[in-house]
Amino acid sequence: MEKQRSSFTGKLGFVLAAAGSAVGLGNIWRFPYLAAKYGGGIFLLVYIILAVTFGFTLMMAEIAIGRKTGLSPVGAFAKLNKKFAFIGYLGAIIPMLILPYYSVIGGWVMKYLAMFISGNGADTTWSETIVNGDTTQTVTYFDKFVSGTGEPILWFVLCIAITMVVVLFGVEKGIEKVSKVMMPVLIVLSLFIAIYVMFLDGAWEGVVYYIKPDFSKFSIMTVISAMGQLFYSMSLAMGIMITYGSYMKKDVNIEKAVHQIEIFDTGVAFLAGLMIIPAVFVFGGEGDLAAGPSLMFKTLPKVFNTIWGGQVIGALFFILVLLAALTSSISLAETVVSVIQDKFKIDRKITCLIVLAGCLVLGLPSALGYGLLGGVKIIGLQFLDFFDFLSNSILMPIVAIFTCIFIGFILKPKAIHEEVEISAPFKAKKLFNVIIKYIAPVFLVAILVSSILDVFGIFKI
Ligand code: PHE
């Protein structure tokens, strides 16, 4: 007899776990940077509009597919239509690519947290300028750390190991339990740090810069980059929401749950902007808002070093980031484990070991990409950036496009309506139909084209 599929115990467990997946590193460093770059308030507005239309539609579709089939992406698409099973396979590759490098970054966060907790936060602001003839080169603490060998590997292994232990405990005893503790703590920390920063002297200027619409920075790229961020941030088009949907009970109102996840995700992103932009504005300048590791690991420690109580705030901040990263990496790992289990019907323990081993192998090049393997580049990108580019800029839009076309024209939206209506009336049915069939595919193609042009330097986002 087949074992019954595990499930989240109720709506709260599902919403917190899915929100845990959505709220991640992307909310904390990427969102504030994009908002600052693309016109503050106007970016926020565009983002919110896209979240309640596109984000809503895609998330509804994925969760409903998961719940309808009771399977993770590979099995789910195959069950709906054999010819379209390839979408499931494509979708399942994405978390396999993201999990290893996401854990490498999670490891960096752990290292910084350890530094701040042990009272050595100030050390992370160290930098040295080396003059060599007429070229000068600045080496920071972060550069030194990531170019090492032992430490980046150690922290990466720790991060992936914690993730896999939670996944090993299963949906209810692992993921749901952990999310129910981590997510509320995350919200409290976000609010506390954001409020603290807003009361710093001179921070108000930064708040205004963040919230006031600057129409001169608005262009079609505002919309495209908001859309790209939205997909990543809501963990869409990579089978995660299908997998989590497959663990959802039939009596949970999907539409309401999706709205709650959106509020969580956008709310934390907004708060992250409130903590980061004013702080950086006061203690650095607009130029310091650069995206990526440099903001979180170079600029912010300097801010923490300057403000009153900065050691504690720094430690709290890195706890927050770590919680966000872990709940996301757990969702990635669960999806990979679930795909393998559904496909090969093997024991969860063995599957977790296989995934752990695979992750270690795939993650090592990313962990060493700034040191030992620093010379190796793929299409001009370091390993970590390459995996990021391949998964987020290429595969995700492709999977999303196929998903929309499949649901819109092959499966037909009615199948989704029926699943949603098992638990409650589907209020935004018309909006869903129009977006999934016509609007989303067009926008997704625009995202795909612009990110390909961007990486080859033809066109800068
Ligand atoms: N949604 C997460 C974030 O905002 C990123 C993520 C992507 C998590 C893919 C899991 C899977 O950072």
Side-chain angles (χ1 to χ4, degrees):
M1 202 182 84
E2 210 168 302
K3 239 175 69 192
Q4 209 199 338
R5 197 170 184 80
S6 22
S7 66
F8 293 110
T9 52
K11 190 173 121 209
L12 185 69
F14 173 80
V15 168
L16 290 181
S21 171
V23 173
L25 297 169
N27 299 54
I28 298 176
W29 57 253
R30 200 149 167 266
F31 182 88
Y33 152 79
L34 288 176
K37 183 172 172 191
Y38 287 109
I42 187 71
F43 180 86
L44 297 178
L45 189 68
V46 170
Y47 187 86
I48 291 171
I49 293 174
L50 291 177
V52 297
T53 51
F54 287 91
F56 166 80
T57 301
L58 261 288
M59 194 176 265
M60 286 297 291
E62 290 197 22
I63 295 176
I65 288 182
R67 197 174 73 170
K68 187 179 174 65
T69 56
L71 291 167
S72 51
V74 169
F77 280 99
K79 190 167 173 180
L80 293 171
N81 189 323
K82 276 259 167 314
K83 275 199 219 128
F84 287 83
F86 75 94
I87 308 178
Y89 282 101
L90 269 183
I93 293 175
I94 303 175
M96 295 185 193
L97 289 175
I98 299 183
L99 179 61
Y101 82 78
Y102 206 82
S103 309
V104 170
I105 305 177
W108 298 347
V109 175
M110 282 186 173
K111 162 75 183 172
Y112 272 60
L113 174 59
M115 290 299 282
F116 273 86
I117 284 190
S118 61
N120 297 317
D123 293 1
T124 62
T125 59
W126 173 90
S127 73
E128 192 178 54
T129 305
I130 305 159
V131 183
N132 199 346
D134 32 317
T135 56
T136 59
Q137 198 196 358
T138 304
V139 180
T140 63
Y141 177 86
F142 178 70
D143 302 326
K144 246 186 136 168
F145 163 61
V146 290
S147 61
T149 303
E151 272 213 89
I153 294 181
L154 176 82
W155 294 104
F156 154 61
V157 172
L158 194 60
C159 184
I160 186 70
I162 295 176
T163 304
M164 293 316 301
V165 167
V166 176
V167 172
L168 182 65
F169 274 95
V171 177
E172 196 188 319
K173 292 207 193 82
I175 302 173
E176 178 168 335
K177 274 225 166 83
V178 164
S179 308
K180 277 183 170 166
V181 177
M182 286 188 178
M183 293 312 284
V185 175
L186 187 145
I187 296 295
V188 172
L189 283 178
S190 306
L191 281 170
F192 176 75
I193 301 173
I195 293 171
Y196 186 92
V197 167
M198 276 163 64
F199 280 101
L200 293 174
D201 257 352
W204 194 245
E205 215 186 314
V207 175
V208 172
Y209 175 77
Y210 176 41
I211 296 178
K212 198 172 144 208
D214 179 351
F215 290 97
S216 68
K217 290 185 185 158
F218 180 83
S219 72
I220 186 68
M221 285 322 289
T222 309
V223 182
I224 292 184
S225 57
M227 186 92 164
Q229 168 67 7
L230 180 74
F231 268 85
Y232 183 72
S233 189
M234 289 181 68
S235 305
L236 294 171
M238 57 181 96
I240 292 183
M241 291 300 159
I242 298 182
T243 305
Y244 275 16
S246 74
Y247 301 135
M248 188 195 223
K249 293 211 166 119
K250 292 278 186 197
D251 58 354
V252 175
N253 181 335
I254 304 185
E255 200 169 10
K256 244 195 190 151
V258 170
H259 285 312
Q260 284 161 350
I261 299 165
E262 279 169 338
I263 293 172
F264 248 108
D265 189 48
T266 312
V268 174
F270 178 71
L271 285 176
L274 275 185
M275 354 178 169
I276 290 170
I277 297 180
V280 173
F281 216 75
V282 174
F283 296 98
E286 237 177 301
D288 286 334
L289 275 174
S294 69
L295 174 67
M296 204 151 71
F297 299 110
K298 293 180 186 171
T299 315
L300 283 179
K302 276 194 234 154
V303 174
F304 296 137
N305 209 18
T306 328
I307 62 179
W308 187 82
Q311 276 293 320
V312 178
I313 293 293
L316 294 178
F317 175 79
F318 283 107
I319 293 178
L320 161 74
V321 182
L322 183 61
L323 295 181
L326 279 177
T327 45
S328 293
S329 64
I330 289 168
S331 73
L332 289 163
E334 174 60 34
T335 303
V336 179
V337 166
S338 182
V339 165
I340 297 177
Q341 271 199 300
D342 281 349
K343 182 92 196 145
F344 303 105
K345 313 259 178 286
I346 33 180
D347 179 63
R348 194 170 182 91
K349 272 196 212 105
I350 297 172
T351 317
C352 284
L353 279 177
I354 297 173
V355 173
L356 177 65
C359 229
L360 290 175
V361 172
L362 277 177
L364 274 183
S366 293
L368 297 174
Y370 299 86
L372 213 57
L373 301 178
V376 190
K377 298 248 156 73
I378 313 170
I379 52 166
L381 299 170
Q382 248 142 355
F383 282 106
L384 195 152
D385 295 328
F386 172 73
F387 284 126
D388 184 60
F389 168 72
L390 182 65
S391 53
N392 299 316
S393 305
I394 306 291
L395 290 172
M396 266 168 77
I398 292 179
V399 170
I401 293 168
F402 279 124
T403 307
C404 290
I405 294 174
F406 173 66
I407 295 176
F409 300 96
I410 313 289
L411 183 70
K412 301 276 161 49
K414 197 154 174 281
I416 303 292
H417 302 166
E418 282 166 6
E419 181 61 33
V420 174
E421 285 167 349
I422 293 177
S423 33
F426 189 174
K427 294 200 192 115
K429 210 181 329 195
K430 291 217 176 81
L431 177 84
F432 175 86
N433 293 355
V434 175
I435 292 181
I436 203 116
K437 284 174 107 161
Y438 309 110
I439 306 181
V442 173
F443 264 90
L444 287 163
V445 169
I447 295 186
L448 181 62
V449 172
S450 71
S451 48
I452 293 176
L453 295 180
D454 180 52
V455 82
F456 292 108
I458 302 171
F459 187 75
K460 267 267 146 276
I461 296 189

